[in-house]
Amino acid sequence: MSMIDISSLQLEQLKEYITGLGAKPFVAGQIYRWLHQRGAQSFDEMTDISKSLREKLSQQRYITGLSIRKKQVSKDGTIKYLYQLSDGNCIETVLMRYQHGNSICVSSQVGCRMGCTFCASTQHGKVRDLAAGEILRQVYATEKDIGERVSNIVMMGIGEPLDNFDNAVAFIKIISSPQGKNISQRNISLSTCGIVPRIYQLAQLKLGITLSISLHATTTEKRKVTMPITNAYSVEELMQACRDYTKTTNRRISFEYSMIKGVNDTDEDAQRLARLLKGMISHVNLIPINPVDGSPYTQSDDAVIRAFQKKLQNLHVNATIRRRLGQDISAACGQLRNENR
Ligand code: SAH
């Protein structure tokens, strides 16, 4: 049997395990704080835990580790990390500096199997899911490296978080727990290409996070061309799931819309988008598509993007144009993973 990563366990699960070893429940709280508040990387560091228990723990469990393989700093201050996991696989994490604080973009899988034609992360398929501890470690290792706290998290790095549902949810619960980093769920966004049954499942959990939907097209036919997930779930089914999500959670949904020249940037697209969002509490993020090797797409012209935004606003849709950070180090959306295989 392979060893289990102790930092992937939620507090209740840790309690169960620790009491099973004959220790008091509060000891689980101590270990949890060592792992998630202080970022302990070994059981030896946990000096207020009895030596015999520490020995038992290190025989039965491990603490997953991350090491920096490469670090690139953009002229706008964005940092891209190439982190190596315990098994040698690599993932990327991006740290963005804003006036309101540090925001981190974490990966949820090694590679991705969703196959969106404009995205670099999926070009070689999925290798494996990340454990919750491996998503958490991206935050801890980055905070340690910069010597500052992270205040916002976006699950928009490599991978599809809803294709790694349980671990993504465990990550959110642990990172937002008072005995952990206590990062408010309000400051966490989860981005998905739209795995419809998982959106319904997520709604039931009533988390306080922001759900971001990568929409990028306004009809099922058009979306099938760039986003294969649309073969499984139509745009109509996706929008129904979004309406249901808002109804159940009372949370506003954010829609990502990459602007691709000649593909999805016409007046009719803007009109259709407004119609899809009619009556919903939503926000649209317009993202000029970033160039990715081997993909034929180019960005819509700035004037076209601004006109698209104006059109949406006239139709009472809340829309902003996303700032492009880290382009000089290929850290922008869709550019991760390519250079480091
Ligand atoms: N799998 C998730 C999260 C990772 S992608 C999802 O699909 O949402 C994060 C965001 O970057 C998504 O909105 C994705 O569609 C977008 N993206 C991917 N490639 C891009 C590119 N080349 N230019 C701009 N945005 C891109």
Side-chain angles (χ1 to χ4, degrees), residues 273-300:
L273 182 53
R275 223 174 297 137
L276 285 177
L277 301 177
K278 208 168 171 181
M280 271 185 94
I281 38 170
S282 65
H283 175 93
V284 175
N285 242 317
L286 300 172
I287 314 164
I289 194 106
N290 290 306
V292 164
D293 280 351
S295 113
Y297 307 119
T298 50
Q299 294 182 350
S300 307

Side-chain angles (χ1 to χ4, degrees), residues 105-106 108-109 112 114 116-121 155-162 190-194 212-216 223 227 255-260 287-292 295 297 299 322 332-335:
C105 177
V106 295
S108 56
Q109 296 177 318
C112 181
M114 293 298 129
C116 302
T117 55
F118 45 77
C119 182
S121 303
M155 301 179 76
M156 291 192 186
I158 297 167
E160 166 52 51
L162 296 190
L190 183 152
S191 183
T192 177
C193 64
S212 278
I213 303 287
S214 300
L215 192 58
H216 307 319
R223 196 168 189 264
M227 301 184 71
F255 290 88
E256 316 285 306
Y257 194 90
S258 302
M259 303 282 302
I260 315 176
I287 314 164
I289 194 106
N290 290 306
V292 164
S295 113
Y297 307 119
Q299 294 182 350
R322 177 172 296 168
C333 297
Q335 295 185 308

Side-chain angles (χ1 to χ4, degrees), residues 94-200:
V94 180
L95 189 272
M96 295 156 287
R97 295 168 182 282
Y98 292 101
Q99 248 155 22
H100 61 263
N102 293 319
S103 187
I104 193 172
C105 177
V106 295
S107 294
S108 56
Q109 296 177 318
V110 181
C112 181
R113 61 183 181 133
M114 293 298 129
C116 302
T117 55
F118 45 77
C119 182
S121 303
T122 193
Q123 286 181 346
H124 305 282
K126 180 180 104 167
V127 177
R128 69 170 174 88
D129 289 334
L130 293 186
E134 293 173 318
I135 313 179
L136 291 161
R137 281 277 154 200
Q138 296 172 56
V139 180
Y140 307 164
T142 303
E143 283 194 338
K144 190 168 172 211
D145 184 63
I146 61 173
E148 292 169 34
R149 292 294 302 264
V150 160
S151 53
N152 282 272
I153 299 176
V154 296
M155 301 179 76
M156 291 192 186
I158 297 167
E160 166 52 51
L162 296 190
D163 187 37
N164 184 16
F165 191 90
D166 292 346
N167 296 336
V169 169
F171 162 75
I172 293 167
K173 290 194 170 162
I174 295 172
I175 200 87
S176 61
S177 64
Q179 303 92 332
K181 289 280 174 195
N182 202 11
I183 295 179
S184 165
Q185 291 189 359
R186 295 274 183 273
N187 296 342
I188 303 174
S189 294
L190 183 152
S191 183
T192 177
C193 64
I195 305 180
V196 166
R198 300 281 187 225
I199 295 175
Y200 285 105

